Amino acid sequence: MSTLTLKGLTKHYSKTDKALTDVNLSIQSGEVVGLIGPSGAGKSTLIRCINRLTEPTSGEVLFKKTDLTQLPKSQLKQARREIGMIFQEYALIERLTVMENVLSGRLGYVPFWRSFLRKYQGHDIQNAYALLDRVGLYQHANKRADALSGGQRQRVGIARALAQQPSLLLIDEPTAALDPKTARQIMRLITEVCYEHQLPAIINIHDVNLATQFVDRIIGLKAGEVVFDGTPNELDECALTTIYGEEDWNATTNEADQISGLELEFA
Ligand SMILES: Nc1ncnc2c1ncn2[C@@H]1O[C@H](COP(=O)(O)OP(=O)(O)OP(=O)(O)O)[C@@H](O)[C@H]1O
Ligand SMILES: [Mg+2]
């Protein structure tokens, strides 16, 4: 069953900034998609248009059969509860603990006064501990967010998004600020939890090698248009050239292999 369908999704910031043009795609439940493309191709705009952090210019965003573009603000808020977001820059609340950051994923669900007093239900706390355990941070529950490493911070971001009990995850460059080994661990964690929860996800990612290792479907954007949609195996040199333009792809792949080799040596 399709969880998300984009029909003719278009975002023109201005006459010259045509970030997205007529994007059509469907994401099935449990499907994890890697969204690749050169800088400025519209990857962030695409995921931000889905939950209307950026308002689309035209087109439909059908999420569980409801067109989010037509919802008034109050109903949009309800729908956003079900869409977890994970960002490159983590977006944690620095002075709060790891546990409090994860619980903040429940904010859309608890009454305002409870969240203000930071009073959460026992089952929310139990669930947050279980999620922290899953992302390998159980021991760090009471640490302040600003005391964590980049990889640990991204794990908090993942646990917080899952605490929302979402039906869809939107993830923007989750590994861009991380070293190659940590980046792989984070991609593995994200894809594993998606499969465990049968949770569909769109992951914007610059690193093509990393994307092809972990996702089953790749969508390539170029200048705001979908120019590739297929499996990692189908993403050959010709497809890469369509997406990114002329480049020595063998050199890029060899370089990536060398980096992986180095990592293994020092792991
Ligand atoms: N708020 C904005 N106002 C005007 N133009 C914008 C705005 N945000 C993005 N753009 C433009 O839209 C296009 C797509 O930007 P977007 O950030 O979606 O690209 P991206 O694929 O995520 O790039 P990157 O890989 O560098 O993150 C770019 O030309 C960008 O300059
Ligand atoms: Mg971006």
Side-chain angles (χ1 to χ4, degrees):
M1 194 193 75
S2 157
T3 302
L4 179 75
T5 300
L6 306 182
K7 285 191 186 169
L9 189 66
T10 297
K11 174 66 185 179
H12 292 173
Y13 288 102
S14 66
K15 276 187 183 157
T16 47
D17 263 321
K18 298 185 173 177
L20 287 181
T21 304
D22 194 25
V23 170
N24 296 288
L25 55 94
S26 258
I27 309 237
Q28 310 305 313
S29 80
E31 194 172 32
V32 179
V33 173
L35 185 62
I36 64 169
S39 187
K43 304 182 295 299
S44 296
T45 302
L46 191 153
I47 65 166
R48 291 173 64 86
C49 279
I50 291 171
N51 62 3
R52 286 173 56 194
L53 284 175
T54 295
E55 283 292 346
T57 307
S58 59
E60 292 175 25
V61 176
L62 296 164
F63 174 57
K64 294 173 147 184
K65 299 187 180 147
T66 300
D67 182 1
L68 299 187
T69 66
Q70 298 304 313
L71 291 185
K73 279 273 144 68
S74 55
Q75 287 177 39
L76 178 63
K77 202 174 152 194
Q78 306 265 327
R80 277 183 179 160
R81 282 178 181 178
E82 290 192 59
I83 304 177
M85 284 202 88
I86 301 171
F87 302 91
Q88 171 190 340
E89 63 274 18
Y90 321 116
L92 303 183
I93 307 167
E94 299 292 332
R95 63 192 164 77
L96 296 187
T97 65
V98 166
M99 173 53 107
E100 287 169 322
N101 268 284
V102 174
L103 285 169
S104 74
R106 301 297 300 158
L107 276 184
Y109 293 92
V110 295
F112 172 73
W113 64 270
R114 266 187 197 273
S115 61
F116 183 71
L117 295 173
R118 294 202 219 148
K119 275 183 188 291
Y120 290 91
Q121 307 268 358
H123 59 81
D124 280 340
I125 293 171
Q126 273 174 14
N127 184 46
Y129 271 119
L131 290 172
L132 282 174
D133 194 29
R134 176 63 189 87
V135 301
L137 287 180
Y138 190 87
Q139 312 293 339
H140 298 281
N142 296 317
K143 251 192 189 175
R144 270 174 61 132
D146 54 12
L148 300 176
S149 71
Q152 289 170 335
R153 292 163 71 83
Q154 197 53 284
R155 287 168 192 272
V156 178
I158 296 165
R160 180 184 52 190
L162 293 174
Q164 251 178 272
Q165 292 179 316
S167 308
L168 172 69
L169 277 185
L170 302 174
I171 311 178
D172 201 356
E173 301 287 355
T175 61
L178 304 174
D179 67 78
K181 184 175 173 185
T182 310
R184 246 206 329 267
Q185 289 170 340
I186 292 295
M187 269 303 276
R188 182 172 294 121
L189 178 63
I190 290 172
T191 45
E192 279 177 2
V193 294
C194 285
Y195 293 127
E196 284 162 22
H197 295 259
Q198 274 301 293
L199 191 55
I202 301 179
I203 311 178
N204 281 355
I205 183 158
H206 269 292
D207 187 329
V208 176
N209 271 300
L210 200 55
T212 54
Q213 280 170 46
F214 288 98
V215 304
D216 339 295
R217 178 175 167 197
I218 302 270
I219 292 177
L221 269 189
K222 181 184 188 180
E225 294 185 37
V226 174
V227 293
F228 177 83
D229 188 346
T231 63
N233 279 339
E234 288 164 347
L235 189 71
D236 55 15
E237 268 186 48
C238 174
L240 285 167
T241 305
T242 306
I243 302 167
Y244 290 97
E246 290 297 335
E247 182 57 81
D248 183 355
W249 296 113
N250 277 328
T252 312
T253 314
N254 290 337
E255 198 180 306
D257 287 346
Q258 280 165 19
I259 292 170
S260 308
L262 280 177
E263 248 176 78
L264 289 179
E265 259 173 53
F266 293 110

